[in-house]
Amino acid sequence: MLDGKRILLIIGGGIAAYKCLHLLRLLRAAGASVKPVMTRAAEEFVTPLSVAALAGAPVKTALFDLEDEAEMGHIELSRAADLLVVAPATADLMARMAGGIADDLASTLLLATDKPVLMAPAMNVRMWQHPATRRNLSTLRSDGVHVVGPNEGDMACGEYGPGRMAEPEEILAAITALLAEGPLRGRHVIVTSGPTHEPIDPVRYIANRSSGAQGAAIAAALHALGARVTFVTGPATVPPPPGVEVVRVETAQEMRDAVMAALPADVMVAAAAVADWRVASVSRSKVKKDEKGPPRLELAENPDILADVAGLSEGRPRLVIGFAAETENVVENARAKLARKGCDWIIANDVSPGTGIMGGAENAVVLVTPEGVEEWPRLPKAEVARRLAARIAEEFAE
Ligand code: C5P
């Protein structure tokens, strides 16, 4: 995935520095070579010995190290990489980057580089929300610095809010997207996948048999062509592919919110088997079996995520692709769905029980576009995904 890529990892001085140990493992497992640099403050949080052991390379810390200057100067070090990653990017490090200050090795490398820079901010929520940090963030963004996170959640300082460093898996996804090569490089694709769970009460829910296999395969194939993929998945049985940004949801409403939050995108592939209905009023406590007999479940209609995205008047992805799982009149129903949902393509398949497609390893699909109907042979789901990704790439070919 990152074979042969060279990453200069600058570890800042924050409690989140410990997550860099896991990030180092992920980067090396993905085939990257990593040169670690630590600020003085970072050494208070993790030891250079641990970092060096996991990086498989010595840690650089000091600016004026004559031996190093003879071996590799700071200018060369800052350029002999495909990407500079700053994690955690503390408020102080961000301020020094934004101000062009070069008073230690880390900040000097960041000023001297001609390579892309990705930073993963991490700090106390008040520091993140402070006008000074907001200003620095916008300066850094306009300087072309890429940003991943921070996330919202419980913080080591005991407060709650935005400021937690992005998880190592998310940082890896951002790195692979930045270093991607392929026809979909620079394109953002949202893929929905898996079933949704619609709660009845705290222990019961309505679900369907979707495994999420086709959606995961599509996300992997698009990622392989260089796209940045946001993978919005319900509780699927097949794990998400590596290298994509995973957003886990349970219900259709959560899936819709996650998709809208992930926009803008160039492409949306709606491969999820979204429940059409949810229980209108979810019971707060477990519904008891009693003499009143079985409960009546009143259902309400779920939002149609595909139709909502296809119908956006502003910020609509250029290509919106839906699925149609049918048990009869596959092409006819798919054509009708194309018009009803307002999407650009429909991938239709016959999911009658005899076909073994739902939850199986293969798929036989028909691609329906306004121009016509294309029948694909029965293929492994990974191959269907590759063909679809290649067709999408054709649409974006200059
Ligand atoms: O209407 P139907 O469920 O057959 O449409 C299937 C297509 O619409 C799939 O692409 C599915 O992901 C999408 N869909 C959706 N939101 C819903 C229902 C379906 O995005 N609530």
Side-chain angles (χ1 to χ4, degrees):
M1 208 164 51
L2 289 174
D3 285 318
K5 297 290 182 202
R6 295 158 309 167
I7 291 168
L8 186 76
L9 176 64
I10 294 175
I11 305 178
I15 184 69
Y18 78 92
K19 290 191 190 172
C20 286
L21 298 178
H22 184 41
L23 177 62
L24 279 167
R25 298 195 73 134
L26 294 177
L27 285 169
R28 294 199 58 211
S33 67
V34 188
K35 280 203 172 26
V37 170
M38 294 174 75
T39 64
R40 280 266 174 262
E43 290 180 62
E44 302 289 332
F45 293 93
V46 284
T47 70
L49 190 63
S50 314
V51 171
L54 290 171
V59 176
K60 314 256 182 208
T61 50
L63 183 54
F64 300 106
D65 186 329
L66 291 180
E67 203 183 312
D68 266 8
E69 284 294 328
E71 198 186 297
M72 181 186 262
H74 58 268
I75 304 290
E76 201 182 330
L77 183 61
S78 72
R79 295 182 190 166
D82 298 301
L83 177 71
L84 272 64
V85 178
V86 188
T90 59
D92 170 67
L93 199 44
M94 278 177 61
R96 285 189 288 138
M97 285 166 78
I101 292 169
D103 60 355
D104 66 356
L105 180 61
S107 54
T108 305
L109 293 174
L110 286 160
L111 195 63
T113 193
D114 57 355
K115 294 296 176 349
V117 176
L118 170 72
M119 67 172 188
M123 66 198 71
N124 167 273
V125 53
R126 302 268 168 264
M127 292 168 83
W128 175 248
Q129 286 166 343
H130 195 284
T133 306
R134 314 304 313 159
R135 266 197 314 276
N136 292 333
L137 179 67
S138 94
T139 303
L140 289 167
R141 278 195 203 274
S142 63
D143 287 350
V145 172
H146 303 274
V147 185
V148 54
N151 294 338
E152 196 167 304
D154 286 321
M155 313 205 31
C157 54
E159 291 190 45
Y160 183 93
R164 273 172 70 99
M165 188 168 87
E167 293 305 318
E169 288 77 8
E170 294 170 75
I171 300 175
L172 178 71
I175 292 171
T176 50
L178 277 171
L179 294 177
E181 282 156 25
L184 289 175
R185 183 194 154 102
R187 305 286 177 190
H188 179 211
V189 185
I190 301 173
V191 179
T192 68
S193 183
T196 63
H197 284 182
E198 307 297 333
I200 298 169
D201 65 19
V203 293
R204 303 182 180 96
Y205 55 83
I206 299 173
N208 62 64
R209 293 184 196 282
S210 165
S211 63
Q214 187 64 81
I218 291 168
L222 289 163
H223 172 67
L225 295 189
R228 173 165 80 86
V229 180
T230 304
F231 186 64
V232 182
T233 177
T237 48
V238 169
V244 305
E245 185 168 340
V246 183
V247 184
R248 291 178 201 276
V249 296
E250 290 238 332
T251 66
Q253 283 176 310
E254 286 169 7
M255 187 172 274
R256 184 185 186 279
D257 291 346
V259 167
M260 293 303 172
L263 288 169
D266 299 286
V267 184
M268 143 107 161
V269 183
V274 185
D276 291 318
W277 304 285
R278 66 178 180 277
V279 176
S281 47
V282 178
S283 173
R284 278 173 195 265
S285 52
K286 187 179 165 198
V287 179
K288 292 270 185 260
K289 191 159 76 172
D290 58 21
E291 65 286 349
K292 281 189 266 162
R296 289 177 65 89
L297 290 183
E298 184 144 353
L299 300 179
E301 200 163 326
N302 266 332
D304 190 317
I305 306 163
L306 176 62
D308 286 356
V309 172
L312 285 173
S313 51
E314 243 175 73
R316 181 194 191 274
R318 187 161 122 196
L319 197 55
V320 179
I321 305 170
F323 274 75
E326 304 289 348
T327 50
E328 56 202 2
N329 302 331
V330 175
V331 172
E332 212 175 296
N333 284 328
R335 277 221 178 90
K337 197 162 289 185
L338 191 71
R340 198 169 63 243
K341 304 250 187 186
C343 56
D344 304 299
W345 298 355
I346 283 275
I347 319 243
N349 55 4
D350 186 345
V351 292
S352 313
T355 63
I357 282 173
M358 199 110 177
E362 293 186 333
N363 208 351
V365 309
V366 182
L367 175 65
V368 181
T369 71
E371 285 77 47
V373 173
E374 236 180 72
E375 230 170 282
W376 293 1
R378 192 178 171 109
L379 296 164
K381 285 182 176 172
E383 190 49 39
V384 171
R386 270 194 290 275
R387 281 194 182 212
L388 177 63
R391 282 296 304 263
I392 293 172
E394 272 174 36
E395 283 298 299
F396 286 89
E398 258 86 39

